[in-house]
């Protein structure tokens, strides 16, 4: 589940860009900064048309009761205590981490007119949104 490390890097970069000067060093800081900047981020959903699924990787950041995503906690437990938490490195947590990464990348590149290559498995209104600005926009962007 190395995806969690990439999510950490992108989240930190996004926080530094959107809230320069604030110290974003962990998931609690990321949540506070990103949900304040992008209202509705917790509602973003990534479609997986091939399997008729929709993943909402940041749903646990609902402002009413924000907590770290299960997949984020799983990543850290696998990273730090692999011998007792290897079972958390499963397909569901990996899928949610990948969707979480894509969601943050959508916010990072929200002002780009054209972004390629398009994901083949995951969908968020590609290519309409990224090519013509006509499709779906990330909540709060």
């Amino acid at each position: 589940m190395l995806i969690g490390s990439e999510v950490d890097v992108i989240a930190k970069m996004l926080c530094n860009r959107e809230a320069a000067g604030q110290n974003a060093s962990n998931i609690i800081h990321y949540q506070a900064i990103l949900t304040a900047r992008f209202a509705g981020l917790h509602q973003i959903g990534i479609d997986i048309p091939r399997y008729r699924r929709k993943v909402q990787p940041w749903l646990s950041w609902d402002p009413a009761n924000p907590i770290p995503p299960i997949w984020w906690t799983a990543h850290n437990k696998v990273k730090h205590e692999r011998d007792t938490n290897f079972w958390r490195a499963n397909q569901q947590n990996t899928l949610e981490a990948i969707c979480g990464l894509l969601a943050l990348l959508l916010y990072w590149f929200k002002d780009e007119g054209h972004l390629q290559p398009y994901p083949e498995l995951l969908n968020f209104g590609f290519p309409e949104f990224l090519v013509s600005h006509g499709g779906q926009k990330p909540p709060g962007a």
Side-chain angles (χ1 to χ4, degrees), residues 2 8 11 22 27 33 35 38 46-47 58 64 68 73 76 78 97 103 106 111 117-118 127 132 137 140:
L2 295 175
D8 185 55
Q22 292 189 29
I27 191 76
I33 292 169
T35 57
F38 303 113
I46 304 299
D47 293 322
W58 301 106
T73 303
N76 281 315
V78 170
L106 288 170
D111 297 324
Y118 307 123
S132 67
K137 287 196 172 201

Side-chain angles (χ1 to χ4, degrees), residues 31-89:
Q31 182 273 327
I33 292 169
L34 295 178
T35 57
R37 173 60 181 90
F38 303 113
L41 177 139
H42 68 284
Q43 296 173 331
I44 192 167
I46 304 299
D47 293 322
I48 308 172
R50 182 181 299 169
Y51 300 107
R52 294 185 209 125
R53 289 190 63 187
K54 183 175 190 168
V55 176
Q56 292 182 284
W58 301 106
L59 191 59
S60 69
W61 278 6
D62 185 333
N65 186 25
I67 58 171
I70 292 170
W71 56 267
W72 181 274
T73 303
H75 162 72
N76 281 315
K77 291 205 177 275
V78 170
K79 182 170 71 171
H80 296 293
E81 301 160 351
R82 188 169 298 134
D83 58 331
T84 58
N85 288 285
F86 187 73
W87 63 273
R88 295 176 192 265

Side-chain angles (χ1 to χ4, degrees), residues 82-101:
R82 188 169 298 134
D83 58 331
T84 58
N85 288 285
F86 187 73
W87 63 273
R88 295 176 192 265
N90 58 47
Q91 189 176 28
Q92 180 66 34
N93 287 331
T94 301
L95 178 64
E96 291 192 21
I98 290 170
C99 290
L101 177 60

Side-chain angles (χ1 to χ4, degrees), residues 99-122:
C99 290
L101 177 60
L102 176 59
L104 292 182
L105 287 171
L106 288 170
Y107 284 99
W108 181 263
F109 291 108
K110 66 183 173 43
D111 297 324
E112 293 292 321
H114 187 70
L115 180 65
Q116 282 192 334
Y118 307 123
E120 292 183 21
L121 178 64
L122 308 175

